[in-house]
Amino acid sequence: MQMNNSFKLLIIFLGGLLLLFIIAPLGGMFISTTAPDLFITIKDVEVTKSIRLTLFASLAATLFMAIGAIPLAYLLARKNFFFKKLVLGIVDLPIVIPHSAAGIALLGFLSRDSILGKAASSVGLNFVGNPLGIVAAMAFVSVPFLINAARDGFLSVPVRLEKTAMSLGASQARVFFTISIPLAGRNIVSGMVMMFARGLSEFGAIVIIAYHPMVTPVLIFERFGSYGLHYAQPVAVTFILITLLFFILLRYISGGKKNA
Amino acid sequence: MLELRGISKQLEAFSLENISFSVEKGDYFVILGESGAGKSVILELIAGMEKVDSGFIYLNSKNITHQAIQKRGISMVFQDFSIFPHFTVAENIGYALKAGLFSKAEIKQRVLKLAEEMEISNILLRKPKTLSGGELQRVALARALAAEPQLLLLDEPLAAIDVRLQDQLRALLRKLNRKGITIIHVTHDFEEAISLANQIAVIHDGKLICRGTPDVIFQAPNHPFLARFAGIRNFFKATLVYETDTNIATVRLGSGIKINLASDVASGDGYFILPSDEIIITNDQPHSSASNTLKGEIYDIIPSFKGIDIMVNCGEMFHITITKPSKEKLGLEIGKTIWISWKAMNGRFI
């Protein structure tokens, strides 16, 4: 498509402005954080502990939810049923509701007074003020990313391939594991990366269900509230760098399956 | 071996109505029809990939109408081959030999044997996206045969193949059939059907309009659609009245045109067939032995493989095939008024 020059310039200008809006705050924060500040932060046990907790909790939430999310995505991609639109709406619900509200809802559901909370505490499990609560909050707010990406992946697998496999004698389970999942694999892994990333950044729901032990977003908020911007910035920069590193690594791993 | 009894299936674009036929063991059975006629759906119903609305399917006298796909022992090769893109050729062929039933060595041996038969031993380690249409087709056939099916279903197997490779694949399909594999093959290509089938069923508008051996079907077509397939374009619904005194029959076409016909067929309704190269065109009214003479206007002039097709509107549309020099000599052009004639013995009533 040919664009005339002034229109092209206008598009570049508007696009550039938007990119600047994303880059400027982050760049400003990186510039105003000195290397000694960063070095001290990396050696701060409270920071490293919280980053470890955040990474672990988000990874656990992603892997645990994948067990149910992938079959649900397959069902939503392959079957038509009466309440399908309603189910699709429910899947997207965690994205649209305020995360603090999600935290309140989860707290009511998982607190020691609730049925589930009572059942869990009877076997020695507690969600409130516990890493389990963090995992639950992360899982709640980020699972739609995995379900939707996996569903798109399954939709892109021709039904005919699955039927061909069945005509060759394969059971539905074998078809699911040998045809559907490998062919939707890129989307599934991409969805897991997105879910993991979204889990890392969660604050609103976690701060309500488990202020302690502190995940990094909560720690950044704590440092800002108690000591001010200058103390919060190095933690934020360290966390962003580490999550970026993870993100690039995971993208690289999932990209490696391109030729599959 | 296979019997379909009164199969009906309603789909969004069309429906299959009351389809019944049977296929004997060792048959090469071709289902012929235009695109969208419902041919492929018949295969999917036989394979169990679609469910019938009504009717029954029997395989070796056993009712398999509602049997799971996996249990039917029927393999299908799709037009797009449906090769698993994430597996190598060898893994594709070996898919049916699921682990547990065969040892790894047995699987390897079977895959190698099938690959040899299909002449694809040199591509076993390649991924499907690097293969040509002909190679993909052979992989699909090898994979389907690995399951040792009782029945092999082929959906337009030559449609996506380079023309120069079609002959080789036809020979391969004939070879498989000679080895005793019963094949049901769906196509829209009349020549493909003739060259492979020992039995043909013709599907039109979701209905089975006839079935039989290729000779019977194309030598005496009983439907305009079938006549078109057989290259006969002058095919009219008609009523014949036989005069016993004169031994001459009169055929009345739908438009009222009356035609003399040398025929001993009894009076009744049927179809009048006139080969397009038996009609003579003249600029003036002919005075010859031809007992059928009609005046008409040239509706269209179409270059064809055999020469030139002239479409003449005489109240009914007639197709006449002539050579290019004849067209030049007569100065034929669209809109020109001309005469057409043919002898009473040239037509046929069925």
Side-chain angles (χ1 to χ4, degrees):
Chain A
M1 191 179 72
Q2 288 281 331
M3 281 194 271
N4 66 39
N5 278 344
S6 51
F7 182 59
K8 204 160 143 187
L9 281 173
L10 179 71
I11 284 183
I12 292 171
F13 174 71
L14 290 174
L17 268 185
L18 192 121
L19 282 177
L20 198 64
F21 177 69
I22 298 172
I23 294 166
L26 292 171
M29 186 168 71
F30 274 76
I31 290 165
S32 61
T33 305
T34 62
D37 283 346
L38 213 56
F39 188 68
I40 294 166
T41 309
I42 291 167
K43 292 194 79 177
D44 184 338
V45 178
E46 197 181 14
V47 173
T48 52
K49 227 171 120 183
S50 86
I51 289 177
R52 258 206 314 272
L53 172 68
T54 314
L55 290 171
F56 170 78
S58 190
L59 189 66
T62 305
L63 294 178
F64 183 71
M65 292 308 275
I67 298 168
I70 294 171
L72 176 62
Y74 185 71
L75 189 75
L76 291 172
R78 282 289 179 262
K79 302 285 172 199
N80 284 318
F81 47 90
F82 194 63
F83 291 116
K84 187 169 171 180
K85 281 194 173 161
L86 181 69
V87 174
L88 288 170
I90 292 170
V91 165
D92 284 335
L93 213 52
I95 296 175
V96 295
I97 60 170
H99 287 185
S100 50
I104 297 287
L106 271 174
L107 186 65
F109 186 59
L110 299 171
S111 73
R112 290 181 191 93
D113 302 329
S114 70
I115 297 167
L116 198 68
K118 273 181 194 160
S121 62
S122 69
V123 291
L125 291 175
N126 272 321
F127 286 98
V128 182
N130 190 288
L132 271 183
I134 296 169
V135 170
M138 284 177 170
F140 185 85
V141 297
S142 60
V143 76
F145 291 92
L146 173 55
I147 297 172
N148 289 331
R151 180 169 162 255
D152 288 344
F154 287 127
L155 282 172
S156 72
V157 178
V159 178
R160 194 169 267 192
L161 287 183
E162 295 175 348
K163 288 188 171 173
T164 301
M166 281 189 222
S167 78
L168 294 168
S171 64
Q172 285 205 329
R174 183 167 177 236
V175 173
F176 180 66
F177 286 111
T178 60
I179 307 291
S180 318
I181 286 202
L183 290 178
R186 277 189 69 196
N187 289 67
I188 293 172
V189 173
S190 170
M192 288 173 86
V193 172
M194 287 301 294
M195 182 180 172
F196 174 70
R198 181 64 196 85
L200 293 181
S201 61
E202 180 51 24
F203 171 78
I206 295 175
V207 85
I208 287 169
I209 199 164
Y211 195 93
H212 289 283
M214 264 188 242
V215 290
T216 317
V218 177
L219 182 69
I220 294 166
F221 177 72
E222 164 85 7
R223 292 270 166 112
F224 174 67
S226 306
Y227 309 106
L229 189 62
H230 184 69
Y231 287 87
Q233 272 179 338
V235 185
V237 168
T238 309
F239 187 55
I240 288 171
L241 285 174
I242 288 175
T243 50
L244 270 180
L245 196 73
F246 255 82
F247 207 63
I248 292 166
L249 192 74
L250 287 171
R251 279 278 177 212
Y252 179 75
I253 294 168
S254 62
K257 289 180 183 289
K258 257 180 205 167
N259 294 329
Chain B
M1 180 195 195
L2 178 84
E3 190 185 354
L4 270 67
R5 279 191 212 158
I7 293 292
S8 295
K9 174 77 181 172
Q10 179 72 45
L11 289 156
E12 275 175 29
F14 66 97
S15 59
L16 286 174
E17 287 170 38
N18 197 25
I19 304 286
S20 298
F21 62 81
S22 59
V23 177
E24 298 305 321
K25 189 168 169 51
D27 268 356
Y28 199 119
F29 191 95
V30 170
I31 300 175
L32 179 67
E34 288 173 320
S35 300
K39 318 180 294 285
S40 301
V41 178
I42 295 178
L43 289 193
E44 293 188 6
L45 292 170
I46 296 170
M49 294 175 185
E50 289 282 345
K51 288 192 168 68
V52 300
D53 290 344
S54 63
F56 299 95
I57 303 170
Y58 292 88
L59 184 65
N60 293 328
S61 310
K62 189 181 156 200
N63 186 348
I64 59 158
T65 316
H66 302 292
Q67 199 172 35
I69 301 177
Q70 295 94 333
K71 307 278 181 203
R72 295 195 181 199
I74 296 173
S75 285
M76 180 158 170
V77 175
F78 286 99
Q79 188 175 351
D80 63 1
F81 317 125
S82 291
I83 299 297
F84 307 134
H86 54 308
F87 291 155
T88 62
V89 168
E91 287 166 341
N92 263 285
I93 299 174
Y95 189 83
L97 314 166
K98 70 175 177 184
L101 289 181
F102 300 94
S103 70
K104 272 190 178 174
E106 273 176 319
I107 292 175
K108 193 178 169 190
Q109 199 186 354
R110 279 175 177 243
V111 168
L112 285 174
K113 189 167 172 277
L114 281 163
E116 200 177 317
E117 266 180 46
M118 297 292 139
E119 297 168 20
I120 47 171
S121 304
N122 56 331
I123 56 167
L124 281 174
L125 298 178
R126 278 167 57 185
K127 283 283 183 76
K129 69 176 177 186
T130 67
L131 305 180
S132 68
E135 288 169 330
L136 287 168
Q137 177 66 278
R138 284 163 188 267
V139 176
L141 281 169
R143 184 181 62 182
L145 293 172
E148 296 190 339
Q150 301 188 58
L151 187 61
L152 181 62
L153 309 178
L154 308 174
D155 186 7
E156 298 272 7
L158 304 179
I161 305 285
D162 200 320
V163 176
R164 70 195 165 83
L165 292 175
Q166 288 187 357
D167 285 345
Q168 290 175 23
L169 273 161
R170 267 189 215 145
L172 178 66
L173 294 175
R174 272 191 222 105
K175 192 173 104 184
L176 290 175
N177 183 237
R178 276 200 301 272
K179 280 177 65 183
I181 295 169
T182 311
I183 296 174
I184 302 183
H185 172 139
V186 151
T187 183
H188 67 279
D189 187 325
F190 156 73
E191 282 183 22
E192 194 175 307
I194 294 275
S195 70
L196 289 165
N198 71 327
Q199 288 289 322
I200 294 180
V202 183
I203 299 285
H204 183 56
D205 279 345
K207 295 187 189 80
L208 190 138
I209 55 172
C210 67
R211 68 148 298 183
T213 61
D215 298 354
V216 170
I217 286 194
F218 293 110
Q219 279 173 14
N222 64 354
H223 194 280
F225 167 74
L226 203 52
R228 267 205 313 282
F229 254 132
I232 300 167
R233 275 156 303 167
N234 296 315
F235 191 94
F236 308 98
K237 206 168 185 6
T239 307
L240 181 135
V241 181
Y242 186 66
E243 307 277 346
T244 39
D245 304 344
T246 57
N247 279 351
I248 286 284
T250 305
V251 175
R252 181 198 282 270
L253 305 189
S255 59
I257 293 174
K258 282 185 182 171
I259 290 164
N260 294 322
L261 182 70
S263 169
D264 54 4
V265 177
S267 300
D269 291 333
Y271 294 93
F272 173 66
I273 293 173
L274 183 62
S276 61
D277 52 4
E278 305 269 13
I279 307 175
I280 301 205
I281 299 183
T282 47
N283 281 323
D284 304 310
Q285 185 167 12
H287 300 285
S288 67
S289 61
S291 63
N292 293 297
T293 306
L294 293 171
K295 190 179 178 186
E297 187 182 293
I298 297 180
Y299 178 78
D300 204 358
I301 298 176
I302 311 152
S304 77
F305 183 64
K306 285 169 82 178
I308 309 262
D309 275 350
I310 311 284
M311 286 173 74
V312 181
N313 187 358
C314 306
E316 295 275 1
M317 196 66 78
F318 284 82
H319 293 257
I320 302 109
T321 307
I322 58 170
T323 60
K324 202 173 171 195
S326 299
K327 181 198 160 233
E328 304 292 327
K329 196 173 98 185
L330 292 167
L332 302 181
E333 56 190 43
I334 294 170
K336 186 175 180 180
T337 301
I338 48 120
W339 291 80
I340 62 170
S341 57
W342 68 92
K343 291 181 175 182
M345 60 175 58
N346 290 142
R348 196 148 52 93
F349 188 85
I350 56 171

